[in-house]
Amino acid sequence: WALMQARYSRSADGMRESFLSLLKEDPANYAQVVEFIKNSGEGRGLDHAVEKAITFMDKWVLGYGHSSVAEGAIVGIGLEGVSILASKVIEDNRLASYIEKSTRYVSFSASSVYLDEKLMQSQFADEIKEYYAFLFRTYDELQPIVSDYVMKSTPLEAGKNEGAWKRACKARTFDNIRYLLPAATLTSFGWTINARALAHAINKLLSHPLAEMNDLGELLQAEGKKALPSLLKYTGKSEFIEQTNQEMPAFVKEFDLPAEQMKNRAKLVYGPSDADELIAAAILYRYSQTSFEKAYAKAK
């Protein structure tokens, strides 16, 4: 599919014509495809096309750096048993879609938590396990309490579906107590991504300072190569990303941003005071023939 898309940029033919032209490069293979279609029997008949696609990727994507071609190759990946923290690192990739196990609809278990190997071998192991146990115990204890409160505060209305009401109450319950779940809680999610973005995601994971991310990078690299042998051939640790992660903390200190005790100091970060006007001006500008400045003045 990636090869067929790439041909749009190099040929005046449409996709069907390009595909037939590709098949006809190997007459015997083409005859096999025709015979297969006629008889609807078993057989692949696309060996030549697949080999040509791999050769094309090796030459143009890997050899000449035309990475945009790789965006035509899409894969679906299921990640299970990864920490919520790891899911946020992975989900910080563009050109991708995610569907994650929802903390709003699913009850999480104390047994489903990531235990870092180094931490579990340190003097803090017992303390960490104690905190996890406390958080999940509180999470479990609050479920019936909060559920009872939600049901009483939003009672079932006459004529409404009881099953739907119970599901909504359950979601509201989890919605309120999910903040107790530690970032190490294990989750699962589906990931749809193109080959170019996946290669970059793997490079980032392999260059991350945390061991779990490195492990996931290696797993994704191994599994991904089964589906995309050419396009993930040169994935690996990025010296630039690794060096940036190491040097930026020291660099930031030069700007006089010392570490602070942040207990109970979480604050909402506010945007510009004229955010509403900017949004309205952008909408006016899109549908008009005026300048943005005039649209903004009108919005104000």
Side-chain angles (χ1 to χ4, degrees):
W1 175 247
L3 170 63
M4 288 297 100
Q5 285 196 127
R7 286 199 168 207
Y8 274 133
S9 69
R10 291 172 174 81
S11 171
D13 290 337
M15 190 173 284
R16 292 177 179 83
E17 291 82 3
S18 288
F19 186 54
L20 282 171
S21 175
L22 176 65
L23 292 179
K24 287 177 179 176
E25 287 181 8
D26 184 331
N29 188 247
Y30 178 67
Q32 186 182 351
V33 174
V34 172
E35 197 65 26
F36 168 66
I37 293 170
K38 282 181 179 178
N39 300 326
S40 297
E42 293 186 2
R44 290 183 63 199
L46 296 177
D47 293 343
H48 171 72
V50 172
E51 289 169 11
K52 188 68 178 281
I54 291 173
T55 303
F56 179 89
M57 296 305 166
D58 282 340
K59 179 180 179 180
W60 294 101
V61 179
L62 304 179
Y64 293 119
H66 294 306
S67 302
S68 60
V69 174
E71 292 185 17
I74 310 295
V75 290
I77 302 168
L79 290 102
E80 300 174 5
V82 302
S83 72
I84 287 178
L85 178 61
S87 76
K88 302 312 164 203
V89 172
I90 292 170
E91 288 166 9
D92 186 29
N93 284 288
R94 69 186 193 96
L95 301 178
S97 299
Y98 312 88
I99 298 183
E100 187 176 344
K101 179 179 177 180
S102 177
T103 52
R104 181 179 281 131
Y105 300 113
V106 182
S107 180
F108 285 75
S109 165
S111 61
S112 300
V113 67
Y114 178 77
L115 300 174
D116 182 81
E117 190 176 336
K118 283 187 178 179
L119 282 177
M120 290 303 104
Q121 293 173 356
S122 73
Q123 60 180 315
F124 305 107
D126 291 338
E127 187 179 1
I128 290 167
K129 289 178 180 177
E130 185 182 328
Y131 274 122
Y132 285 163
F134 168 72
L135 287 168
F136 278 104
R137 187 168 62 249
T138 309
Y139 175 81
D140 289 337
E141 289 172 355
L142 279 175
Q143 283 190 36
I145 298 169
V146 175
S147 178
D148 184 60
Y149 173 81
V150 169
M151 287 183 167
K152 287 179 179 176
S153 60
T154 55
L156 176 64
E157 297 178 12
K160 297 291 184 179
N161 183 285
E162 185 176 357
W165 172 73
K166 285 182 177 179
R167 287 192 295 273
C169 288
K170 187 177 181 181
R172 290 194 188 105
T173 299
F174 286 137
D175 203 17
N176 281 282
I177 65 174
R178 59 180 171 161
Y179 304 101
L180 286 161
L181 297 172
T185 303
L186 298 182
T187 187
S188 301
F189 60 95
W191 187 15
T192 305
I193 187 168
N194 71 56
R196 185 186 194 182
L198 178 59
H200 183 60
I202 291 172
N203 294 346
K204 287 200 297 182
L205 287 167
L206 292 174
S207 310
H208 199 279
L210 294 180
E212 185 189 9
M213 312 309 161
N214 302 158
D215 293 341
L216 285 170
E218 290 177 4
L219 284 168
L220 285 166
Q221 188 178 44
E223 289 300 311
K225 282 182 178 178
K226 295 176 183 178
L228 304 163
S230 297
L231 298 175
L232 298 183
K233 186 180 288 185
Y234 298 125
T235 50
K237 185 180 290 187
S238 164
E239 288 186 16
F240 171 76
I241 296 174
E242 191 173 41
Q243 191 174 351
T244 301
N245 289 336
Q246 291 170 354
E247 293 182 0
M248 282 305 295
F251 180 71
V252 166
K253 287 181 181 178
E254 296 179 17
F255 289 88
D256 193 27
L257 294 169
E260 297 179 55
Q261 290 294 322
M262 299 299 289
K263 288 184 179 178
N264 302 320
R265 292 188 58 192
K267 292 182 179 179
L268 291 174
V269 178
Y270 291 96
S273 59
D274 61 346
D276 290 344
E277 288 88 344
L278 284 169
I279 293 170
I283 296 170
L284 291 172
Y285 174 72
R286 177 181 176 185
Y287 291 102
S288 69
Q289 298 296 317
T290 190
S291 67
F292 183 80
E293 289 75 16
K294 288 185 178 177
Y296 178 75
K298 180 63 70 173
K300 291 280 283 187

